[in-house]
Amino acid sequence: MRNSIAFVLLNLAVSGALAQDAEAPKAVNNGTDPTKLQTVAEAKYEYLDLQNGFSSGTLRLSYTTPLDEAQSYALRVRVPVTYVDVLGDDGYDIGDASLEISHVFGLTKQHAFVAKGELIFDTAGRPELGTGQNVFKGTFIYAKFLQGGNIFAPALVQSNSLWGDGNRPDVNTTTIDFYYVPKLANPKNLITYDPALNFDWENDKQFASLAVTFGRVLGPQLGGNGILFAKPSVYAGSDRPGSWGLEVGYKVIGF
């Protein structure tokens, strides 16, 4: 009798272990879903290899917080510290700071929409570190949730100057972005693809770009998920601003 009970318990234990092994890995909050508005603290540094042997480097510090319980609205504050050596000065100073409001709507299991409005202020410490204009940047994203957990989220981004230095060119640019997130076998790893077409209507220039982000969720840190990431980018076209770039950063999300 005891042997029979032991055999049954052993079978139940083995079956439970096998079932647990067969379960899909638990989802990990990695910040790649553009429809999830959450608290984010981020620091990232981007180096750009510009044309004619020049370069720029920018440290971007940003903080994002949801504005409602449903997390359908969020506010982001961003301050860049940057240099551009085209005028022979490679010292760092404040760039153009910004405020952005995001709104997610029409959320279903199949898709969602995201609208963003960002005000970029003329706060640069030196002329080459900003546009000399106060700019409104509008973004509209259609996020499609594909089978298997992949996300395709093309975006239309339009930037226009509102007021600023009359001696500086107006800002009138359009970017069409084709953001794609594949679901990886290990949920702690992440990768995103960002091919884009860029149009500068004011200066009659256009170029293509591709950025790929590689990241790793480090686990619980500072009350949220800590994430390290690297984002190399390349540019194509006769009007491209540079040849390549590299961004590296750390952020904590969902705290």
Side-chain angles (χ1 to χ4, degrees):
M1 183 65 177
R2 290 179 180 177
N3 290 339
S4 299
I5 294 175
F7 181 77
V8 170
L9 292 175
L10 181 61
N11 266 341
L12 289 173
V14 171
S15 299
L18 291 175
Q20 189 175 21
D21 289 342
E23 289 178 359
K26 292 182 179 179
V28 174
N29 184 9
N30 60 21
T32 59
D33 185 345
T35 69
K36 287 185 176 180
L37 303 183
Q38 55 194 321
T39 307
V40 182
E42 181 179 61
K44 57 186 180 182
Y45 183 85
E46 181 182 35
Y47 173 85
L48 291 176
D49 180 58
L50 304 175
Q51 297 286 51
N52 302 315
F54 298 111
S55 65
S56 72
T58 304
L59 172 66
R60 294 184 178 90
L61 305 173
S62 63
Y63 177 76
T64 305
T65 182
L67 298 177
D68 61 334
E69 283 191 17
Q71 296 188 331
S72 60
Y73 289 88
L75 170 68
R76 187 190 71 189
V77 180
R78 173 170 286 172
V79 178
V81 180
T82 185
Y83 85 86
V84 181
D85 62 4
V86 293
L87 298 181
D89 188 347
D90 59 359
Y92 285 87
D93 208 331
I94 296 296
D96 288 345
S98 65
L99 290 174
E100 180 187 81
I101 296 287
S102 299
H103 176 46
V104 175
F105 59 99
L107 177 63
T108 69
K109 291 183 178 180
Q110 289 75 38
H111 63 248
F113 304 92
V114 184
K116 300 182 179 184
E118 182 177 11
L119 278 175
I120 305 171
F121 301 99
D122 179 20
T123 57
R126 299 196 305 271
E128 72 273 18
L129 304 184
T131 63
Q133 304 289 331
N134 295 279
V135 176
F136 177 77
K137 179 180 178 180
T139 303
F140 180 78
I141 301 171
Y142 171 69
K144 178 67 174 177
F145 306 121
L146 306 176
Q147 289 185 353
N150 303 329
I151 301 173
F152 178 53
L156 177 65
V157 184
Q158 178 65 39
S159 300
N160 289 94
S161 51
L162 301 176
W163 75 92
D165 187 344
N167 296 317
R168 301 285 297 274
D170 289 338
V171 173
N172 182 9
T173 64
T174 302
T175 297
I176 304 172
D177 184 276
F178 302 94
Y179 180 77
Y180 178 73
V181 187
K183 185 175 182 180
L184 304 182
N186 186 337
K188 288 190 174 182
N189 295 328
L190 66 93
I191 186 170
T192 70
Y193 299 95
D194 273 291
L197 301 174
N198 306 273
F199 305 90
D200 182 346
W201 307 110
E202 185 67 26
N203 298 296
D204 193 25
K205 293 182 178 181
Q206 49 274 324
F207 62 95
S209 61
L210 172 64
V212 181
T213 302
F214 304 91
R216 173 74 176 179
V217 178
L218 303 176
Q221 294 184 345
L222 303 176
N225 270 343
I227 300 173
L228 277 176
F229 59 91
K231 184 179 181 180
S233 56
V234 293
Y235 302 89
S238 59
D239 297 326
R240 65 187 184 275
S243 301
W244 61 275
L246 177 63
E247 182 179 82
V248 293
Y250 171 78
K251 61 184 174 181
V252 179
I253 65 174
F255 56 93

